[in-house]
C-alpha cells in the first residue's frame, strides 16, 4: 500500500496551486493523507476527486466550511497499521511523550502545523511524521511532502521529498 502525506497547503494564500510533482503522484497513491491547514475548499474537493482514499483533518487556519467536512482527528487501520492524523501536536520539546500519551492505540501519527518535516519514534512504538508543507517552506530550505508504504503490517519506505523553488 502506497501513501502520499502532506499538510499545510494554505491555498491560495501561499501558492496558487499544489505543485505538479505532488499532483503527479496522486494516481500512484492508495491513500492520500492531509494533516490540515487547507484554507480553501477547492483543494479538499480536488484531493477527494483524485484520490483513491483520502484521510484528512482540519487545521487551525481552516474555517467553518472545512471544519464541517473534516474531523479534528482522523483514525484508520491500513493493512494492520493503526494510523492517526491531527494538525497540531504542540511544541517540539516533549512531543514524543505527549503524543504517545494522547494516542496510545496508534502505530503512526501524521501531523502538521509547524511546516517543519519531522520523523521520530516515541517510546519505541509510535512513529511521528510531519511532511512539512508543499507550498510554504517558512524557515525551511525547501517545500516538502512525504511518501511511505505499508508492507506486511509495517510502515516502510518513508521518504521526504524536497520540491524545487517556485518561479
Amino acid at each position: 500500500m502506497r501513501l502520499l502525506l502532506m499538510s499545510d497547503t494554505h491555498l491560495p494564500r501561499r501558492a496558487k496551486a499544489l505543485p505538479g510533482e505532488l499532483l503527479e503522484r496522486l494516481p500512484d497513491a492508495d491513500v492520500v493523507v492531509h494533516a490540515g491547514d487547507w484554507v480553501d475548499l477547492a483543494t479538499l474537493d480536488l484531493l477527494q476527486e483524485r484520490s483513491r482514499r483520502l484521510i484528512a483533518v482540519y487545521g487551525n487556519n481552516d474555517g467553518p466550511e472545512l471544519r464541517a467536512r473534516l474531523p479534528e482527528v482522523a483514525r484508520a487501520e491500513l493493512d494492520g497499521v493503526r494510523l492517526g492524523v491531527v494538525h497540531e501536536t504542540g511544541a517540539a520539546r516533549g512531543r514524543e511523550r505527549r503524543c504517545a500519551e494522547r494516542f496510545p492505540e496508534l502505530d503512526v501519527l501524521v501531523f502538521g502545523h509547524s511546516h517543519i518535516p519531522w520523523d521520530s519514534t516515541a517510546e519505541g512504538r509510535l512513529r511521528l511524521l510531519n511532511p512539512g508543507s508543499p507550498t510554504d517552506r517558512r524557515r525551511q530550505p525547501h517545500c516538502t511532502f512525504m511518501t511511505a508504504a505499508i508492507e506486511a503490517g509495517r510502515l516502510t519506505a518513508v521518504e521526504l521529498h524536497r520540491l524545487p523553488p517556485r518561479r
Side-chain angles (χ1 to χ4, degrees):
M1 177 178 285
R2 293 167 301 206
L3 310 178
L4 176 62
L5 314 175
M6 68 185 87
S7 187
D8 297 283
T9 48
H10 291 272
L11 294 176
R13 293 182 191 162
R14 301 293 190 243
K16 292 182 184 2
L18 291 174
E21 182 179 331
L22 185 134
L23 291 172
E24 289 169 7
R25 290 178 181 266
L26 284 174
D28 298 328
D30 298 300
V31 178
V32 174
V33 177
H34 192 300
D37 271 6
W38 305 75
V39 180
D40 74 335
L41 286 170
T43 305
L44 173 58
D45 292 338
L46 175 98
L47 290 182
Q48 284 182 323
E49 290 168 11
R50 294 193 186 179
S51 302
R52 290 183 201 157
R53 181 174 181 188
L54 177 64
I55 301 170
V57 298
Y58 67 77
N60 61 298
N61 283 295
D62 295 328
E65 292 177 316
L66 284 159
R67 289 170 186 248
R69 291 177 56 185
L70 297 166
E72 181 178 8
V73 178
R75 291 175 175 83
E77 186 165 330
L78 304 173
D79 286 350
V81 173
R82 299 165 302 171
L83 176 88
V85 185
V86 67
H87 184 63
E88 295 186 58
T89 59
R93 185 175 194 168
R95 177 175 286 140
E96 283 90 358
R97 179 190 46 77
R98 280 192 316 276
C99 290
E101 289 172 358
R102 182 175 174 195
F103 301 103
E105 76 286 3
L106 297 180
D107 300 310
V108 178
L109 179 66
V110 179
F111 66 98
H113 188 61
S114 69
H115 299 218
I116 300 171
W118 185 281
D119 184 349
S120 68
T121 302
E123 298 181 4
R125 61 163 194 84
L126 176 63
R127 184 86 175 257
L128 299 169
L129 299 173
N130 184 331
S133 170
T135 57
D136 184 13
R137 64 183 181 89
R138 284 203 184 151
R139 295 171 299 279
Q140 300 304 300
H142 303 278
C143 289
T144 58
F145 66 95
M146 286 179 169
T147 55
I150 295 176
E151 298 173 0
R154 292 184 51 239
L155 186 73
T156 63
V158 174
E159 184 177 350
L160 180 68
H161 299 270
R162 292 174 176 87
L163 293 163
R166 284 194 310 267
R167 296 175 191 182

